Amino acid sequence: MNKSAPDMTVSDRRADILARIDAATKGRANDGGVTLVAVSKVQPDARIRAMLETGQTVFGENRVQEAQSRWGETFTAQRARLKLHLIGPLQTNKAGDAVSFFDVIETLDREKLARFIAKAAQAAGRCPQLFIQVNTGEEPQKAGVMPADLDAFVKAAQQTYDLPVAGLMCIPPADEAPSPHFIMLSQMAARNGLTGLSMGMSADFKTACALGATHVRVGSALFGDRAPA
Ligand SMILES: *Cc1c(COP(=O)(O)O)cnc(C)c1O
């Protein structure tokens, strides 16, 4: 792909990223493939429409309310065939809305939230698939279960709250090489019998794919830069 990035259409960008995911996963063991989660937060409707036209069906959103407005109002006609992932922090008072709206919640990160999600799921008669967010860099400002607490948290989520835990998710520190974090996440998933690994964003999805990602969350490389919020 020799076109400069600003000239590329959303469809070009997606084809390019899918090809790079393919190349990065060649020869991987036990390969169930990689799901490209298109991170649509803050993006203008025209780009979202163009992305829908490519056949992309999996989208990621940071905020419950923004997602409800985009996918429950603007693009409501497409909603039924889409899979929507919540990838931003979830407050307990929004747990009910998130449980009834999303197909996957990637940011389960504390016991209180597990309790609220379990209660909401019982009331709704449905529960999204869940990923547990791990704070692999142990950054104080970042959400996520601390690595030392992870094994006990997985057990509590599964056994105490009977939640469907599909895997683990992480966002490595911005100023560090991502590989050690991806490797750590993959080892923590394996020892807990979990197969899902949501890791890798625009800057590092190829590295994540090579290290076993099952889901990559790509925003700006796919849609173009986000306007400052
Ligand atoms: C915004 C966001 C992404 C996508 O980031 P890009 O760098 O634009 O690809 C991925 N994951 C999470 C949790 C995000 O908040």
Side-chain angles (χ1 to χ4, degrees):
M1 189 80 47
N2 291 320
K3 280 195 263 183
S4 67
D7 293 338
M8 288 170 73
T9 64
V10 158
S11 168
D12 288 340
R13 289 172 189 276
R14 178 170 177 270
D16 182 49
I17 285 168
L18 288 174
R20 286 195 275 163
I21 289 173
D22 242 28
T25 51
K26 277 243 157 56
R28 235 171 53 164
N30 299 327
D31 199 14
V34 177
T35 300
L36 173 60
V37 180
V39 177
S40 43
K41 63 180 181 198
V42 195
Q43 294 288 353
D45 290 350
R47 289 181 184 171
I48 309 274
R49 196 165 295 116
M51 186 60 73
L52 285 165
E53 281 165 9
T54 69
Q56 177 71 27
T57 56
V58 185
F59 290 85
E61 291 283 354
N62 257 43
R63 292 164 179 275
V64 176
Q65 222 165 350
E66 182 185 343
Q68 285 173 324
S69 144
R70 175 168 297 123
W71 301 109
E73 293 166 25
T74 313
F75 295 105
T76 187
Q78 285 87 355
R79 174 67 186 95
R81 66 182 181 90
L82 304 180
K83 292 268 178 275
L84 300 182
H85 290 226
L86 178 66
I87 61 170
L90 178 57
Q91 295 170 290
T92 49
N93 64 2
K94 299 252 175 72
D97 284 349
V99 161
S100 43
F101 193 74
F102 287 95
D103 302 285
V104 181
I105 296 175
E106 299 203 14
T107 49
L108 174 58
D109 64 353
R110 58 203 191 280
E111 183 138 359
K112 185 177 178 195
L113 183 59
R115 195 165 70 238
F116 274 68
I117 288 176
K119 222 165 64 181
Q122 204 151 40
R126 79 188 288 273
C127 193
Q129 279 201 323
L130 301 170
F131 284 69
I132 294 171
Q133 183 174 355
V134 184
N135 189 350
T136 57
E138 306 190 30
E139 297 172 279
Q141 81 286 6
K142 199 166 270 178
V145 178
M146 289 297 169
D149 301 331
L150 196 258
D151 296 3
F153 187 77
V154 172
K155 276 206 182 62
Q158 291 176 325
Q159 293 170 15
T160 309
Y161 299 103
D162 199 21
L163 292 172
V165 180
L168 304 179
M169 177 273 219
C170 76
I171 309 170
D175 56 353
E176 286 182 31
S179 298
H181 297 274
F182 295 158
I183 291 167
M184 188 198 299
L185 197 73
S186 137
Q187 290 170 342
M188 289 187 296
R191 75 169 184 248
N192 283 285
L194 301 172
T195 52
L197 280 175
S198 175
M199 55 191 201
M201 310 178 14
S202 288
D204 53 21
F205 70 89
K206 282 184 294 180
T207 307
C209 285
L211 293 171
T214 60
H215 294 72
V216 292
R217 310 175 309 269
V218 183
S220 42
L222 198 48
F223 287 97
D225 287 337
R226 284 183 290 276

